[in-house]
Amino acid sequence: MSTGKTLLALLLSSLLPASAAFAAANNSTLVYCSEASPESFNPQIASSGPTFVASSQTLYNRLVEFRTSDNLPVPSLATAWEISPDGKTYTFTLRKGVKLNSNKEFKPTRDFNADDVVFSVMRQKDPKNPYHNVSQATYEYFNDVGLDKLITDVKKIDDNHVQFTLSEPNAAFLADWGMDFASILSAEYADAMLKAGTPEKVDTAPIGTGPYALQEYKVDSLIRYIANPNYWNGEVPTKHLIFSITPNVQTRMAKLQKNECQIIPAPAPVQFEAIKSDKNLELHTVDGLNVGYLAFNTTKKPFDNVLVRQALNYAVDKQAIINAVFMGSGTIAKSPIPPAMLGYDKTLNDRSYNPAKAKALLKQAGLEKGFDTDLWSMPVQRPYNPNSRRIAEMIQHDWAKVGVNAKIVTFEWGEYLAGMRKGEHSSALFGWMSDNGDPDNFADTLLGCGSIKSGSNVARWCDKDYDALTKKAKLTSDPAARAKLYEQAQEVFYQQAPWIPLANGKTFYATRSNVTGYSVSLNGSDFSKAKLN
């Protein structure tokens, strides 16, 4: 057990009495079998999907959320916004009457207001903020999307208005405030915990405006929530929500079948038929904004040679991977931008499976006899990569046909991520799921020169032409003009081949047939309307 997890559990135990094992679900209790324990209950300092589901999507809200029909930002804690003619000043009007949750140590004396927004921003931005280094925070997402440099000022106009000043126009700025890291925390709670000498409780015993409040956390076992009786977005129909932490996909399925949980994320494709054939279960699918890929470390030989990268693109039978691994849950990817997103180039070429062409390019690169390399395989399942080991084995087999001997290696997920950020890999399977519905979240975050330092550009590829196009697109507010710039950037990506784009996967989840109201979208998992019938 990690020190962080132990501290998290001890702090919550000091606030709440230990509870007995949860009873079988009834109409007032819903059990969700989550994939992993949360890193924290503060989404500002986290980076994993299971953490966001357990924190930002359950306990908090953001200034905006995303409309499911087109993924565009719409009001949430902010009811409206004005943008200055030069695109550098955003003034948000905040929702009135929003109640914050409470716990045994803190009862709010006021409603949500602009102070909460300013605190939530400045904790992440300002190194001198007393909370900036609490919990050894790094604010990975805030920095990755460039808000640390983009925001020059944020100030309270009055209780119901807050104003951001930017260093330059940014077409993705509004959408950024619907991302998990942009969850709004309580400034009043932060002040109280700082005075009490326990600032870490802001991250471990959270106070938010969301549909649920945290009751109890047992490390690697369960999380208990209770409905917010004053939720601003309508009555929460299920009073008790329980996360049963279940990392194993087969165990999650068994619990669903036994009604020990009523919702499971990410069932394996091989389980789909069993779910469909059981009248007590339902399989749900959502078109995902994601991409799975193999990234070459372009700073390491021989992957610094574009001919080698092009060759190994030709050497992989992507359709075979889709057929064998995705089993109807994905389609071939050819771009870093998902097909349903602004700027996706439908006419972009792809390198179809052609071992002869691969061998010719390797010969041209002076590697006619092939070479040895490592191939990192993810230890987790994702919609864009439901079985990383199997995909790695298929790539290994394909590369062997052109003389490339790949050794498959893997690590614990945290170590895997840390190693890629440091550039320890030669080639690695990875992927990305949209945080905000904007193409910048893929094009620049995953492949921009500035993203090498932050670690999200795991190919460590920096192309000045590509970078200039994506930077210009970020400054362009007209959607048609932005789309053309991204199309040009994708052509550079195709020619330079820093990745092998593999798949765009669909998002699947399964429920008991008597569950209604639960949904999954770009906003994440929404439990606020979920109930058992």
Side-chain angles (χ1 to χ4, degrees), residues 115-157:
D115 290 326
D116 302 313
V117 178
V118 173
F119 167 71
S120 299
V121 176
M122 295 308 291
R123 172 176 177 172
Q124 299 179 81
K125 176 177 171 56
D126 183 8
K128 296 180 181 179
N129 185 284
Y131 270 87
H132 188 74
N133 295 316
V134 170
S135 304
Q136 299 179 325
T138 58
Y139 311 109
E140 177 181 332
Y141 269 81
F142 186 85
N143 295 331
D144 277 354
V145 299
L147 294 180
D148 55 332
K149 297 179 177 62
L150 180 65
I151 298 171
T152 60
D153 188 35
V154 56
K155 64 182 179 181
K156 174 183 178 179
I157 305 300

Side-chain angles (χ1 to χ4, degrees), residues 366-422:
L367 293 168
E368 185 176 3
K369 295 182 179 180
F371 58 91
D372 295 339
T373 189
D374 60 61
L375 197 172
W376 286 28
S377 172
M378 296 164 54
V380 294
Q381 292 174 293
R382 292 291 183 268
Y384 54 74
N385 191 328
N387 189 334
S388 185
R389 181 72 191 191
R390 180 65 179 131
I391 290 176
E393 289 171 348
M394 294 182 75
I395 293 173
Q396 179 188 51
H397 181 262
D398 286 344
W399 283 359
K401 294 178 181 178
V402 299
V404 175
N405 177 37
K407 178 183 178 182
I408 298 171
V409 295
T410 193
F411 308 93
E412 181 272 329
W413 186 225
E415 188 178 355
Y416 191 92
L417 293 172
M420 284 194 304
R421 291 187 185 110
K422 295 175 184 176

Side-chain angles (χ1 to χ4, degrees), residues 138-184:
T138 58
Y139 311 109
E140 177 181 332
Y141 269 81
F142 186 85
N143 295 331
D144 277 354
V145 299
L147 294 180
D148 55 332
K149 297 179 177 62
L150 180 65
I151 298 171
T152 60
D153 188 35
V154 56
K155 64 182 179 181
K156 174 183 178 179
I157 305 300
D158 57 40
D159 280 354
N160 301 310
H161 294 86
V162 64
Q163 188 174 85
F164 290 80
T165 304
L166 311 184
S167 60
E168 62 184 10
N170 186 298
F173 179 75
L174 185 60
D176 287 342
W177 291 100
M179 294 170 65
D180 294 278
F181 78 85
S183 296
I184 304 301

Side-chain angles (χ1 to χ4, degrees), residues 480-512:
R482 286 190 83 199
K484 288 187 180 297
L485 290 165
Y486 286 122
E487 288 169 5
Q488 294 173 46
Q490 286 166 85
E491 182 59 35
V492 177
F493 168 87
Y494 170 76
Q495 295 297 339
Q496 292 297 312
W499 296 355
I500 302 176
L502 293 172
N504 303 115
K506 295 181 179 181
T507 297
F508 287 85
Y509 64 97
T511 67
R512 299 288 298 182

